[in-house]
Amino acid sequence: MSRKHLLLLLFFMMSLPQLIIAQKETSLVSWNIRDFGKTKSAEEIEDIAEILRDYDIIAIQEVVAGYGGSQAVARLADELNRKGSKWDYSISYSTKSPKYKTEKYAFLWKTSKVKVVEKGSLIKELEACVYREPFHIKFKANGNKFTVINYHFRKHSEQPETEVNCISDYILNHKEENIILAGDFNLSIGHSAFNSLKENDYKACLDGDRTTLKRTCKDNNYLNHAIDNILHDSLKNELIECGTIDFVQECDRLEAMRMLSDHLPVFIKFKSNKK
């Protein structure tokens, strides 16, 4: 065997464990894409797809309930399909919300990595205690099942902690499931409302990481509130990696990037052990 072939073989053997880990892990990204509807241009949809293309599951909040919201999700799926993987998607019905608070949610997923076990639906039993019913869907990846709840909590001035308590009760009443809660919480993970989940082995992806964008930038300081997050059951999932996707990077890009959204996406890479 030549020296060149020997080096290639050695490189492959060293890379194999990482390839195996990557095949077994599942990645989920959650993003409040502000006013995701007909106002998003083709260029903006392409930018959004480029940011999200490497993840297995995408959970989107703030899909416009009126004309254009569902079409924007379909446009994003089409753009993702042009980038090398086959994607499918599910869009919720409009939430039954107070005036001007109605929206839709969406999930998109790579069909080669993830299968749907139970199709997406709004959690109607929570309708009485939340402004916007959460949207959930049960997936299967690498032989294991998990449910993702996609939710946009009411804004900070309207006491989102009451909705945290309501959704926490729902999750803890379904402990037999492997439930992952993703979305815009409009509340810091340090708030006491999350204590019941934490006491039952739920871990937050982020701990104080700021996820919203300011309107102005000085000294490269453009991040504002720490309110977007992903919570998972640490007994049912092995955490590989989590964090935010900072698509801004520098002050000069802030104005243009705020046209995509005023939130950063949050991602988690995990291995589920729940059959």
Side-chain angles (χ1 to χ4, degrees):
M1 182 181 293
S2 69
R3 178 181 174 83
K4 180 180 178 181
H5 289 153
L6 184 61
L7 288 173
L8 287 172
L9 179 61
L10 181 61
F11 175 77
F12 174 77
M13 292 177 66
M14 291 175 64
S15 303
L16 190 58
Q18 294 300 319
L19 290 171
I20 292 171
I21 291 172
Q23 288 173 351
K24 289 185 177 180
E25 73 182 25
T26 303
S27 58
L28 163 69
V29 60
S30 173
W31 197 1
N32 178 335
I33 304 181
R34 183 182 59 186
D35 298 332
F36 193 49
K38 64 181 180 180
T39 59
K40 297 298 184 192
S41 68
E43 292 78 11
E44 288 164 350
I45 292 288
E46 183 178 5
D47 288 343
I48 290 169
E50 190 63 31
I51 292 167
L52 299 174
R53 62 181 296 177
D54 293 329
Y55 297 88
D56 301 327
I57 303 170
I58 301 166
I60 300 175
Q61 303 91 48
E62 273 203 33
V63 177
V64 173
Y67 176 79
S70 297
Q71 290 87 341
V73 176
R75 289 163 60 205
L76 176 57
D78 285 343
E79 190 62 43
L80 286 165
N81 281 329
R82 296 188 183 98
K83 295 185 179 295
S85 296
K86 177 69 174 68
W87 290 77
D88 202 350
Y89 63 93
S90 177
I91 307 168
S92 75
Y93 289 113
S94 298
T95 58
K96 294 183 178 179
S97 308
K99 195 173 182 180
Y100 303 122
K101 300 184 186 297
T102 301
E103 64 184 65
K104 294 179 180 180
Y105 303 97
F107 283 109
L108 301 95
W109 61 92
K110 286 178 180 172
T111 58
S112 62
K113 297 291 293 291
V114 181
K115 305 301 179 187
V116 172
V117 177
E118 291 181 12
K119 66 180 183 179
S121 63
L122 294 171
I123 305 178
K124 293 185 178 180
E125 63 191 88
L126 295 178
E127 184 181 321
C129 65
V130 299
Y131 276 178
R132 294 174 281 255
E133 314 94 280
F135 187 46
H136 67 159
I137 188 167
K138 183 176 287 188
F139 293 107
K140 185 175 184 179
N142 301 308
N144 295 311
K145 298 176 184 178
F146 53 92
T147 299
V148 182
I149 293 180
N150 185 2
Y151 191 54
H152 184 191
F153 288 79
R154 66 180 71 176
K155 64 184 182 181
H156 188 269
S157 61
E158 297 171 333
Q159 298 181 307
E161 58 269 26
T162 62
E163 297 189 339
V164 175
N165 293 329
C166 178
I167 291 176
S168 295
D169 288 344
Y170 174 87
I171 291 173
L172 296 178
N173 285 331
H174 293 78
K175 282 286 285 182
E176 73 283 358
E177 292 186 56
N178 180 9
I179 296 179
I180 298 171
L181 176 62
D184 175 358
F185 295 177
N186 272 316
L187 197 65
S188 167
I189 198 64
H191 195 283
S192 60
F194 293 102
N195 286 353
S196 63
L197 286 177
K198 293 176 182 178
E199 290 165 0
N200 282 271
D201 304 302
Y202 268 80
K203 304 291 186 184
C205 177
L206 305 180
D207 184 12
D209 302 61
R210 294 182 295 169
T211 59
T212 65
L213 302 180
K214 295 179 179 180
R215 294 184 180 277
T216 59
C217 180
K218 183 179 181 181
D219 297 328
N220 234 33
N221 180 13
Y222 48 81
L223 295 177
N224 205 0
H225 302 296
I227 58 174
D228 300 270
N229 221 320
I230 299 173
L231 282 161
H232 69 98
D233 188 330
S234 62
L235 299 183
K236 296 185 177 75
N237 303 287
E238 177 188 346
L239 177 64
I240 307 298
E241 183 185 1
C242 64
T244 59
I245 306 171
D246 188 349
F247 56 91
V248 180
Q249 298 294 323
E250 56 189 40
C251 282
D252 291 345
R253 288 168 48 86
L254 178 62
E255 184 176 356
M257 293 301 97
R258 276 183 58 89
M259 297 300 292
L260 302 185
S261 180
D262 55 353
H263 291 249
L264 298 182
V266 179
F267 75 89
I268 185 171
K269 296 180 181 180
F270 65 98
K271 289 196 292 185
S272 170
N273 57 27
K274 178 68 174 177
K275 296 294 184 181

